[in-house]
Amino acid sequence: MAKVVKQISNDNTLKGIGFEYQKLLALECCLEAAPNTTIYIECLGDICDGSTSTEVKHHVTQGHLTPQSIDFWKTLKNLVVSHELLSCCSRFILKTTHMMFREEGWQTWNTATRERKLSLISQIKPCDTIKAHHAKIFSSEESTLLDILSKFEIIYNVDNIQALLDKLQFHNTFKTIPIENRSYVLKELIGYITKCAIDTLGTGWQVDINSFDNELQRLARIYNAEKILFPREKKVELADHDFENYIFIKQLREIEYHIKVESAAQDFFRSSKSRIQLLKKFPNLAEALEFYDEDVSDELVNIKGAKLDEADDLKLPLSTLHSLAKKVFNECMSISLREINGVEGTEIYYQRGRMHSFVENGKFHWVIREDEFYWTVKESET
């Protein structure tokens, strides 16, 4: 059972959840928007498609709207304050996870006339929580208020953030994408919508639907593929890298295999770049890459172990350590290419580069130490 932790007074978790919920609803609007349109976020209401302005209210616990609900009055006040700016809109919506009003008259808010709505709100004696909003609303012209009320409706009992996230994975747009990949596509699209806030900074957060659709098609091509293409990296300019300070390079120098240094450095840097690209574009490959490393690492250990066993049997002099290390290195470099599971076209430099990364991380070493030999250990004990 999860431990219950009391929230501190300035904990913004619920606000953060509300904001993420707003982005999920914006994503849903983008998925259903027509070409050549724009979705506005946080500038014409919480979300606006150009004709409908929506205010979003998410609640962790279930409840009902009441005639004193802050969500209702704050939304209405915002509509009054932004009336001119929202003149392009024919609908104003309060979208809430709460249930509808239970009070008589208020239950039928969405079908009531604007005059009836005005009568209902006029009868409310405001509590302290809504007093400021109430005052602002009734300071406006009656004609303005009637115009707003004629367009104002409530969509209630909508999906909470978890239910919405689950539902979006089964949106028709994603039907050709394997179910196990859809959560990654959603994360990418939410990231794209967030990036739009930066790209349109100063002009209002906008998502151009044509650009959004292009991004969606790009992601579909990636995540629809049965095989992911390996991101091949060109050789690097070694002069730009201070590679002599790397551990795997120092070990090659130590065993006097200088001729292999540059190719080892190339394999290391290229494999690192390819790995970064794979994880950036396909985060779901993390586990497959870990399994790949484990398999290659095990093979290195087996090769080295076999060579050490041969040396034990032959009682080779310790002066031949460097020669033996070179044989281990060459046999490791000659291992048949192992493909990354789910990736097509894995290059040999990736496999070899990962071997060098094991040395760099201390999980393996090209240098052969005396204490790795069976007989040197045994002799030291006598």
Side-chain angles (χ1 to χ4, degrees):
M1 181 181 293
K3 182 179 179 181
V4 177
V5 180
K6 185 178 180 180
Q7 290 178 304
I8 60 176
S9 59
N10 64 343
D11 190 339
N12 288 317
T13 302
L14 296 182
K15 289 183 180 179
I17 290 174
F19 190 51
E20 293 304 314
Y21 181 69
Q22 181 181 344
K23 287 194 285 186
L24 281 177
L25 285 173
L27 171 57
E28 186 176 41
C29 288
C30 290
L31 292 172
E32 297 175 359
N36 305 316
T37 58
T38 301
I39 298 298
Y40 302 89
I41 305 170
E42 286 288 326
C43 49
L44 293 171
D46 287 338
I47 304 168
C48 181
D49 63 5
S51 62
T52 299
S53 174
T54 302
E55 290 281 325
V56 177
K57 304 299 178 185
H58 181 272
H59 298 276
V60 175
T61 57
Q62 188 57 277
H64 283 78
L65 287 169
T66 74
Q68 298 277 357
S69 290
I70 184 69
D71 290 352
F72 173 84
W73 289 96
K74 188 174 182 180
T75 298
L76 190 51
K77 184 265 294 183
N78 289 343
L79 293 173
V80 167
V81 171
S82 305
H83 183 244
E84 287 188 25
L85 186 64
L86 295 171
S87 60
C88 60
C89 296
S90 57
R91 292 179 73 200
F92 303 134
I93 292 175
L94 167 59
K95 185 172 284 191
T96 177
T97 54
H98 270 171
M99 300 289 286
M100 193 51 160
F101 300 109
R102 290 180 290 187
E103 290 76 10
E104 186 177 349
W106 289 82
Q107 295 172 320
T108 55
W109 175 271
N110 289 338
T111 57
T113 64
R114 62 182 188 171
E115 290 79 13
R116 175 58 176 157
K117 291 177 181 178
L118 179 58
S119 174
L120 286 170
I121 64 174
S122 299
Q123 294 172 30
I124 297 300
K125 183 179 179 180
C127 62
D128 291 342
T129 308
I130 67 169
K131 189 173 289 185
H133 301 315
H134 184 277
K136 187 67 178 179
I137 290 165
F138 283 98
S139 68
S140 64
E141 295 289 335
E142 184 176 308
S143 58
T144 298
L145 195 48
L146 285 170
D147 180 60
I148 292 169
L149 292 171
S150 68
K151 303 172 184 177
F152 183 31
E153 59 187 279
I154 300 168
I155 299 179
Y156 55 92
N157 195 29
V158 297
D159 292 324
N160 63 22
I161 189 167
Q162 187 59 60
L164 178 59
L165 185 59
D166 293 340
K167 185 177 78 172
L168 284 174
Q169 293 196 50
F170 294 94
H171 193 281
N172 282 339
T173 305
F174 305 129
K175 63 184 178 182
T176 62
I177 297 174
I179 186 66
E180 62 272 16
N181 289 346
R182 294 179 191 177
S183 62
Y184 301 109
V185 175
L186 287 175
K187 288 178 184 177
E188 297 259 20
L189 290 174
I190 289 295
Y192 177 82
I193 288 173
T194 302
K195 184 176 180 296
C196 287
I198 300 170
D199 294 341
T200 58
L201 197 63
T203 60
W205 190 352
Q206 304 174 32
V207 181
D208 177 78
I209 293 304
N210 290 346
S211 298
F212 175 86
D213 287 344
N214 288 338
E215 176 66 8
L216 182 58
Q217 290 170 22
R218 183 187 74 84
L219 292 171
R221 286 194 297 271
I222 293 171
Y223 285 96
N224 271 336
E226 292 183 7
K227 285 279 188 179
I228 296 168
L229 293 179
F230 180 80
R232 188 175 190 274
E233 291 288 338
K234 296 179 180 179
K235 288 188 175 183
V236 301
E237 290 292 336
L238 291 179
D240 298 335
H241 297 78
D242 186 15
F243 61 89
E244 289 291 346
N245 288 323
Y246 283 87
I247 294 171
F248 73 97
I249 295 294
K250 289 180 178 179
Q251 290 198 13
L252 287 176
R253 295 290 191 198
E254 186 175 342
I255 65 174
E256 300 178 356
Y257 220 177
H258 309 293
I259 195 171
K260 298 293 185 178
V261 165
E262 289 195 5
S263 62
Q266 284 287 356
D267 290 342
F268 177 80
F269 292 126
R270 292 174 75 193
S271 70
S272 295
K273 286 186 175 182
S274 293
R275 184 177 174 83
I276 289 169
Q277 288 299 316
L278 284 169
L279 289 172
K280 183 179 178 181
K281 294 180 180 179
F282 312 102
N284 54 322
L285 278 178
E287 188 175 54
L289 294 179
E290 286 181 16
F291 288 148
Y292 180 91
D293 282 357
E294 289 176 7
D295 291 343
V296 174
S297 179
D298 288 345
E299 202 155 358
L300 297 189
V301 171
N302 290 337
I303 288 173
K304 190 173 187 180
K307 290 297 180 187
L308 292 176
D309 287 344
E310 290 175 12
D312 278 334
D313 294 339
L314 296 173
K315 292 294 188 291
L316 295 175
L318 296 180
S319 60
T320 62
L321 285 178
H322 292 346
S323 176
L324 185 60
K326 290 176 183 178
K327 291 179 180 179
V328 170
F329 179 88
N330 286 329
E331 192 162 335
C332 289
M333 292 296 113
S334 300
I335 294 173
S336 298
L337 175 62
R338 182 185 296 273
E339 291 273 359
I340 301 169
N341 188 31
V343 178
E344 186 174 9
T346 306
E347 297 272 351
I348 191 63
Y349 75 75
Y350 182 83
Q351 179 171 291
R352 292 171 177 169
R354 294 309 296 159
M355 295 178 190
H356 297 307
S357 75
F358 303 152
V359 177
E360 191 64 27
N361 295 326
K363 298 177 181 178
F364 189 76
H365 43 267
W366 297 127
V367 173
I368 294 177
R369 304 185 182 94
E370 290 186 9
D371 61 6
E372 291 181 282
F373 287 95
Y374 168 74
W375 82 86
T376 58
V377 175
K378 186 175 180 180
E379 288 173 359
S380 66
E381 293 173 349
T382 59

